[in-house]
Amino acid sequence: MLLTRGLTSNFDSVCALYARVTSAMHEKGIAQWNWGTYPNADQIHKSIDAGTLYVVREGNTVVAAVTLDSTFEPAYDAVNWLFGGKPGTFHRLCIAPEKQRQGLGRGMMGEMLAILRSQGCTALRCDTLVNNSAALTLYQKIGMRIAGHIRYSSLPDLRFAALEMRLTNDCPLLPLKMHPAFRGGKLTPWGGEKLRTVYGKDIREVPTGESLEVSCIPGLESTDDAGVKLPDLIAAYGEAFAGEYAKKPFPLLLKLIDAAEPLSVQVHPNDDYAARVENGKLGKTEAWLILDAPEGSQLVYGIKPGTTLDTLRAACEQGAAVEPLLRRVTVHPGDVCFIPAGCVHAIGAGIMLYEIQQSSDITYRFYDWDRVDKNGNRRELHLQKALDVTDLTFSLDPIPAPNKPVARVLDEKYFTLDLVNVQGEAVLPAVTAFGLLTALDGDLNVRFAGGQLTLRKGESAYIPHTAPVLTLGCGCYRTTAQKRPKRGNKRVKRP
């Protein structure tokens, strides 16, 4: 054993060690410590009295010291930690300059982790200055991840990396706020700027039509606070993070959409067609929750009854002649539209919506309202593929906004969709493989044992497979979507 509990008789030696190490850090340009301020003699004394100080001795000389406990600075509350349960930490890890780079730090870390586990800790959290490369290298070598960054009020000009690791196999994984990717410019010529003005999104250009809130689409992945992409998080934390999808393609994609102008009339293939024609990709079934819609807003929701495929083909070949064949429905904020593969659809001008869908980017356009870009070019259409997959029998109606605090509005083959109007508190239903949570009207506090996560209006979180019980607080409207458990292809009855 390297570590033994620090004793009162070690006090002077420990203080001298911290003074020497602080001086050596300053010589390297690492200014996170100032002996006498932090760390200081009073802290050392209190750690010895509490039995939380551990030291490494060589004879009568202390060559390393650290404090182990479960107390955290208030700044830690702002970090979006992944590993929950009972976290432990260490403070003021200090190794004599002449003993550094000899494996002592790694040996100490192994014993520190064992001590914390013996105290019932399920996770480890710590921080270090971002330019303390030796500490960062050591911590990451033992498996710690950067969860985010913090600043201390006493050191406002310094930025610290917040790191964590799980200590036990049963450590619960906490909700992670996701940072979106965006589609804009010529990819969404129908978009606007409401993603910024309504939801505070940091869009890069106008128009921007899509905020990909939770995404594994290559090149458009969402990330955590430290910039780690969702596919990399799944690969790193496996079944505890994504359930059965740890080793399968991630199945869902969550978006917020701003349609300043109408979207193209389009349709998506099912899984079988996509696998056969689109190189093994997933098909695309989706659902919309209308967030904002001017009075009288309409969207295209299927083809008018009695239309034949030949009639539809001939009209599409003429362009605007297809418009009279489109089935239009009026929608209001709170309405939900289920869009199975094969349903011809188009979002109307002025509508903002939340979209949950299979993780697929396959869209076949019938018609784009004769729209041209600044160079007079039209967007590509995919008439034959669109006709191949169109379901002319589709006839569902929008589901009106439910008048209840909690409502499961969809329970489909690919996902479930719950709407919750949080007044006071509400316990979130347990997820199956994983869940996706979005705050849509005001800020949302997501509480769990030992902490909470705040989602601002328009922000989304990924809920891991092993998340603890989550309680939602404060008054706001939110949605939760999750991968549907395997129970067959049941559909809920619609009003």
Side-chain angles (χ1 to χ4, degrees), residues 102 216 263 438:
Q102 298 178 29
C216 281
L263 271 70
T438 304

Side-chain angles (χ1 to χ4, degrees), residues 133-335:
S133 58
L136 281 172
T137 298
L138 172 62
Y139 300 157
Q140 291 179 302
K141 276 186 176 179
I142 67 166
M144 300 195 78
R145 69 180 294 268
I146 295 177
H149 294 87
I150 57 178
R151 294 182 187 273
Y152 290 105
S153 58
S154 59
L155 298 167
D157 296 330
L158 300 183
R159 187 166 178 252
F160 291 77
L163 298 101
E164 64 176 337
M165 68 182 295
R166 53 183 168 183
L167 299 180
T168 63
N169 291 333
D170 61 353
C171 173
L173 303 192
L174 304 177
L176 278 184
K177 184 186 299 183
M178 289 280 102
H179 296 264
F182 300 102
R183 276 197 181 114
K186 64 182 181 180
L187 296 177
T188 61
W190 40 265
E193 58 178 332
K194 286 185 178 179
L195 291 169
R196 177 171 59 207
T197 60
V198 175
Y199 289 114
K201 303 294 182 182
D202 186 23
I203 62 174
R204 299 292 193 265
E205 56 188 334
V206 177
T208 292
E210 297 182 345
S211 175
L212 284 72
E213 296 286 299
V214 182
S215 169
C216 281
I217 297 293
L220 292 167
E221 301 92 342
S222 54
T223 66
D224 70 1
D225 280 358
V228 181
K229 296 177 181 179
L230 181 56
D232 295 330
L233 290 165
I234 295 171
Y237 305 113
E239 186 175 349
F241 191 81
E244 65 182 287
Y245 294 96
K247 296 183 179 180
K248 296 180 182 179
F250 190 72
L252 297 181
L253 169 62
L254 170 59
K255 300 178 188 176
L256 297 178
I257 294 178
D258 170 25
E261 298 179 13
L263 271 70
S264 62
V265 179
Q266 58 190 247
V267 67
H268 308 300
N270 61 24
D271 288 342
D272 291 342
Y273 188 94
R276 178 166 48 86
V277 177
E278 303 292 349
N279 298 316
K281 290 186 177 182
L282 293 176
K284 189 173 176 181
T285 284
E286 60 192 29
W288 299 335
L289 168 64
I290 307 300
L291 302 177
D292 186 34
E295 188 68 27
S297 291
Q298 291 190 322
L299 49 80
V300 175
Y301 200 33
I303 299 296
K304 286 184 176 179
T307 303
T308 66
L309 203 59
D310 287 342
T311 301
L312 182 60
R313 180 192 301 274
C316 288
E317 289 173 347
Q318 298 177 54
V322 76
E323 294 188 29
L325 303 181
L326 304 177
R327 177 176 176 255
R328 301 173 188 268
V329 296
T330 300
V331 291
H332 309 88
D335 288 352

